[in-house]
Amino acid sequence: MLRSVRLAAALLLLAGPALAQSKLTVAAYGGVWDSHLREKVFPDFEKKHNVKIDYVAGNSTDTLAKLQAQKANQVIDVAIVDDGPMYQAIQLGFCGKIDGLPIADLYDSARYKDDKAVGIGLVATGLMYNTKVYKEKGWAAPGSWNDLKDAKTKKAVIIPPINNTYGLYTLLMFARMNGGGEKNIEPGFKVMTTEVNPNVLVYEPSPGKMTELFQSGQGLLAVWGSARVQSFANTGFPVDFVYPKEGAVTLLASACPVAKTNVSPHASEFVKALLEPALQLVLLKEYGYGPVSKKVVVPPELGKMAPVGERAAKLINPDWDTINAQREDWTKRWNREVER
């Protein structure tokens, strides 16, 4: 009897490590992303893979900064950031190759070099406005990036800062619209400092704060992504997304398994889980993301704001190699001249 008890105890000890729940640290956007992932993605994945997911919320540049700070001992297993910071993360060696990526199922626009990252959702960067207030005041809906300069919305415009992709794209669009672009940003700074800045209530990076400012009536017009606006509209608040006539800019929400010596075997699996058609539909419904999987059939009622079909085809695709080579200098200049 004693021998049997000892044998059973030994077997339990041997089985312990295999049965123990492992941990996966995912760094991604805050706000509704946090809550929806916890509710609709994590539970099934944790159960299927016997893993506990730790979530680290922050904007894309926050996550990139964490990867840089932790490069000697990476804590993050999966990073979900915008395409610009993702190009930087790959260049800096922070992303590992995704094992078993379903290449045949993906649109080419979702792929990165050597499959060290993948797009998980297509977002359009344009304008958000309070439809109720505009209607009450008899104002026409905004239709141009130049509406950010209209005096009627003085101190009611909200734009994220330049360390956020939406703020960067605002600068870039005004440069493009005034004879410049990625290789000549000067016209963009001129318009931002002299014509847009007087209308800006705040350069706000927090999605939660952005929605609060609209709910309080302080914000009436903003630069934001179709996904963020869709999520906000889903709460019942009267906002709509505008594809400006000069063009909306592509933002590709992207994911990569972080390269490190003790890489989690679940990192690539989590990235691939985000590409499953059922989850792509969740991302479309809850966030307004245009699907990156060819297997997704978009129901008409879910494609109201998302960049799908012709809207996706018309998006402006920025030159990230040129942008990232100058982004640090642009940021310093923005902080001196725009957000003074």
Side-chain angles (χ1 to χ4, degrees), residues 100-119:
L101 188 67
I103 294 169
D105 297 340
L106 301 175
Y107 292 113
D108 289 342
S109 59
R111 295 186 62 194
Y112 285 78
K113 186 179 178 181
D114 298 326
D115 295 324
K116 290 190 173 181
V118 66

Side-chain angles (χ1 to χ4, degrees), residues 21-28 33-34 36-57 75-80 264 266-271 273-274 279:
Q21 190 178 52
S22 56
K23 186 177 78 169
L24 185 74
T25 300
V26 176
W33 249 90
D34 188 336
H36 280 126
L37 282 180
R38 291 183 190 278
E39 294 171 10
K40 301 186 177 182
V41 180
F42 292 174
D44 288 344
F45 190 88
E46 288 176 332
K47 183 177 180 180
K48 180 179 179 180
H49 296 279
N50 189 33
V51 62
K52 175 64 178 174
I53 298 176
D54 285 346
Y55 192 85
V56 181
V75 173
I76 297 168
D77 295 297
V78 175
I80 299 175
S264 169
H266 303 301
S268 285
E269 294 304 314
F270 184 83
V271 172
L274 298 172
L279 188 52

Side-chain angles (χ1 to χ4, degrees), residues 3 13 45 65 87 91 110 117 120 129 143 154 160 182 199 201 209 229 238 263 269 282 324 339:
R3 182 179 179 183
L13 286 172
F45 190 88
Y87 281 113
Q91 187 178 38
I120 58 173
Y129 74 105
K154 187 171 184 178
E182 289 89 332
N199 283 355
L201 171 68
K209 187 65 175 177
V229 182
V263 62
E269 294 304 314
V282 170
N324 283 332
E339 285 192 68

Side-chain angles (χ1 to χ4, degrees), residues 111-290:
R111 295 186 62 194
Y112 285 78
K113 186 179 178 181
D114 298 326
D115 295 324
K116 290 190 173 181
V118 66
I120 58 173
L122 188 62
V123 178
T125 302
L127 306 176
M128 173 175 73
Y129 74 105
N130 185 316
T131 57
K132 182 174 181 291
V133 172
Y134 269 67
K135 184 177 180 179
E136 289 173 348
K137 291 182 176 292
W139 296 346
S144 165
W145 288 95
N146 284 324
D147 283 302
L148 296 170
K149 303 187 294 184
D150 195 323
K152 71 172 179 277
T153 53
K154 187 171 184 178
K155 296 304 177 184
V157 169
I158 305 171
I159 302 174
I162 196 172
N163 65 355
N164 183 297
T165 303
Y166 301 127
L168 175 69
Y169 281 173
T170 306
L171 175 67
L172 177 60
M173 282 307 301
F174 279 118
R176 282 180 168 235
M177 290 161 55
N178 292 277
E182 289 89 332
K183 295 182 179 180
N184 176 19
I185 204 67
E186 188 64 36
F189 273 108
K190 183 178 180 180
V191 173
M192 286 299 301
T193 54
T194 62
E195 298 182 72
V196 176
N197 212 19
N199 283 355
V200 175
L201 171 68
V202 64
Y203 292 95
E204 180 53 58
S206 165
K209 187 65 175 177
M210 175 78 83
T211 57
E212 286 177 14
L213 289 167
F214 265 69
Q215 289 165 335
S216 69
Q218 294 173 271
L220 300 179
L221 180 64
V223 176
W224 228 13
S226 54
R228 292 289 189 186
V229 182
Q230 181 69 71
S231 296
F232 192 17
N234 287 346
T235 68
F237 195 80
V239 289
D240 200 2
F241 181 78
V242 174
Y243 286 77
K245 65 182 182 181
E246 301 88 359
V249 193
T250 301
L251 188 155
L252 193 63
S254 307
C256 84
V258 174
K260 55 184 184 178
T261 53
N262 58 334
V263 62
S264 169
H266 303 301
S268 285
E269 294 304 314
F270 184 83
V271 172
K272 290 186 291 184
L274 298 172
L275 302 173
E276 290 293 329
L279 188 52
Q280 284 276 294
L281 278 176
V282 170
L283 293 176
L284 172 61
K285 181 180 179 181
E286 301 295 345
Y287 308 121
Y289 280 9

